[in-house]
Amino acid sequence: ENLVDVGQSIKGNIRLSLSRIREGIKALDDEEVFASFQLANLSMLIQMSHFDVNETEGGPFKLDKAHSLENISYLENHKFNWYPFQLAYFLLVLSSLVDEGHEYRETVDLIWFQTGGGKTEAYFFVSAFEMIYRRVKDGKKGLGTAIINRYTYRFLTTDQFTRTAGLICALERIRRRNPTGSRWADKLTSVPFTLGLWVGGDVTPNKLKNDSDKENIDRSANGRIKTMKDTIGTEYFINFFQIESCPSCATRLFPETDERDDNNEIKEALWGFRLKGRNFHVVCPSHDCLFHGPDQGTDLPLLMVDESIYQDPPTFLIGTIDKFANLAWQQASGKLIGQDTKTLPPSLIIQDELHLISGSLGTLAAIYESAVDTVISQNGQKKPKYIAATATIRN
């Protein structure tokens, strides 16, 4: 008898999920929703194609050794397909994402699947759609930080930063190059899609420059770049910017050893981290890459210094819970949740590795979660949609 009750409960949940998936399919009848769906698919295809080429060729690469990606015909690449659960998850979430008044808007939709099974790609797909849809639907008002991806541990954050960077580069390729000639891609505005890494000062710099205090100089972006150049090739070397190679073509952003020219000067062309005045740039050293910077007119769309993140809020923000304490002390950080801007606040919040917020960590996270929800929902704004992912959770 108990098993019958359990079975009926499971069947009820399946029917509910199926009805929401069917509702998601119907939502694609809207022209703007379907166009965003198509462009999100394209961005995922570009990201997967580049990752596959770079892995096959054996990246990361030394300068001028990377595979040229500019002639890939993405739509002829039939190597990649969605797993059914990934597409089903997207369709299940879709209606509550595009309709702020939907009955499941405040439901946390969890994707629970085995490690290495494709959870990240599933919520990347949802994320790509939301970043595109905001611009297609709301134009310049849809700029600003659209998505916050929260982590409990810093080492998980920096690992995911590299993977997410590939998606952001794919979105930028669509925005700048429009490889299919879509009229909807022209609605993505002239403002780049960007990715921000918002973690503690031990991991990434908080300031661009600080010339008044020795300790702060060493912990600022210019100090960290100098330290990396001074220690490259030694056991003391630390990458303070948490990314090793270009997320698009996989060219190394810094050499493996201390490489100098005939005048014993550091070969600056091998270094992708550059500070000019008050502007921090991450550029791909390869001249063949879309993100070469000086020649192509664009940097890699990555922000790793707090000061830069506050100045130009990233489209997609990856952060740890502890950084959200800054919202109470650092006024400029309010821009990340739509304060003092003319843009919409974040509309999608992702809690990856959901099982890690159990116990005391979950209690702490809940305080900030409630505060962020309250601030975002001020001035008549709707609360963001929450999604979550884990491989190891029960009950």
Side-chain angles (χ1 to χ4, degrees), residues 207-210 275-280 307-308 311:
K207 297 282 186 181
L208 294 167
K209 283 185 175 182
N210 193 317
L275 187 67
K276 295 183 179 179
R278 301 294 301 183
N279 296 311
F280 178 69
E307 201 172 331
S308 299
Q311 181 177 324

Side-chain angles (χ1 to χ4, degrees), residues 264-275:
N264 200 34
E265 297 291 333
I266 291 172
K267 291 183 179 180
E268 295 290 346
L270 299 178
W271 287 82
F273 308 122
R274 302 170 188 178
L275 187 67

Side-chain angles (χ1 to χ4, degrees), residues 117-134:
K119 294 185 303 299
T120 300
E121 284 73 19
Y123 73 67
F124 272 3
F125 188 21
V126 176
S127 302
F129 171 87
E130 181 62 7
M131 287 185 279
I132 292 168
Y133 183 65
R134 280 170 58 115

Side-chain angles (χ1 to χ4, degrees), residues 176-323:
R176 296 192 68 239
R177 292 288 176 87
N178 193 0
T180 63
S182 166
R183 68 184 178 92
W184 295 100
D186 295 334
K187 292 181 173 288
L188 298 180
T189 81
S190 60
V191 178
F193 291 98
T194 53
L195 172 65
L197 180 61
W198 200 35
V199 291
D202 290 337
V203 182
T204 59
N206 291 333
K207 297 282 186 181
L208 294 167
K209 283 185 175 182
N210 193 317
D211 300 323
S212 60
D213 179 77
K214 175 70 168 65
E215 181 180 352
N216 285 333
I217 290 172
D218 292 342
R219 291 168 64 86
S220 63
N222 61 328
R224 294 285 173 85
I225 292 173
K226 182 178 185 304
T227 299
M228 287 175 65
K229 290 179 177 178
D230 289 344
T231 59
I232 190 73
T234 74
E235 61 182 306
Y236 305 105
F237 178 80
I238 298 174
N239 175 13
F240 290 108
F241 299 103
Q242 307 306 317
I243 191 163
E244 181 182 15
S245 59
C246 171
S248 184
C249 74
T251 296
R252 290 185 63 88
L253 297 177
F254 51 86
E256 296 180 87
T257 59
D258 185 4
E259 297 198 29
R260 297 173 180 262
D261 59 24
D262 295 337
N263 297 318
N264 200 34
E265 297 291 333
I266 291 172
K267 291 183 179 180
E268 295 290 346
L270 299 178
W271 287 82
F273 308 122
R274 302 170 188 178
L275 187 67
K276 295 183 179 179
R278 301 294 301 183
N279 296 311
F280 178 69
H281 302 271
V282 188
V283 301
C284 179
S286 173
H287 289 77
D288 295 330
C289 184
L290 176 65
F291 302 101
H292 179 57
D295 292 348
Q296 309 292 0
T298 180
D299 298 348
L300 279 161
L302 307 176
L303 305 173
M304 294 95 98
V305 183
D306 286 10
E307 201 172 331
S308 299
I309 288 172
Y310 301 149
Q311 181 177 324
D312 295 302
T315 317
F316 192 118
L317 178 69
I318 296 178
T320 43
I321 294 295
D322 59 299
K323 289 298 285 191

Side-chain angles (χ1 to χ4, degrees), residues 28 32-48 75 82 87 90 94 97 121-134 136 147 166-168 170-171 174-175 180 182 184-185 188 193:
L28 293 174
E32 292 180 335
V33 172
F34 187 65
S36 302
F37 170 73
Q38 288 180 306
L39 291 175
N41 269 281
L42 177 59
S43 69
M44 292 300 299
L45 178 60
I46 292 172
Q47 185 248 349
M48 292 176 182
L75 299 185
W82 289 116
L87 197 55
F90 173 86
L94 181 58
L97 191 60
E121 284 73 19
Y123 73 67
F124 272 3
F125 188 21
V126 176
S127 302
F129 171 87
E130 181 62 7
M131 287 185 279
I132 292 168
Y133 183 65
R134 280 170 58 115
V136 168
I147 299 170
L167 173 62
I168 300 299
L171 288 168
I174 293 172
R175 188 189 67 83
T180 63
S182 166
W184 295 100
L188 298 180
F193 291 98

Side-chain angles (χ1 to χ4, degrees), residues 313 330-343 375 379:
Q330 177 63 256
Q331 184 176 356
S333 66
K335 291 182 179 180
L336 301 175
I337 53 175
Q339 298 295 293
D340 301 320
T341 69
K342 296 180 180 179
T343 60
V375 174
N379 304 321

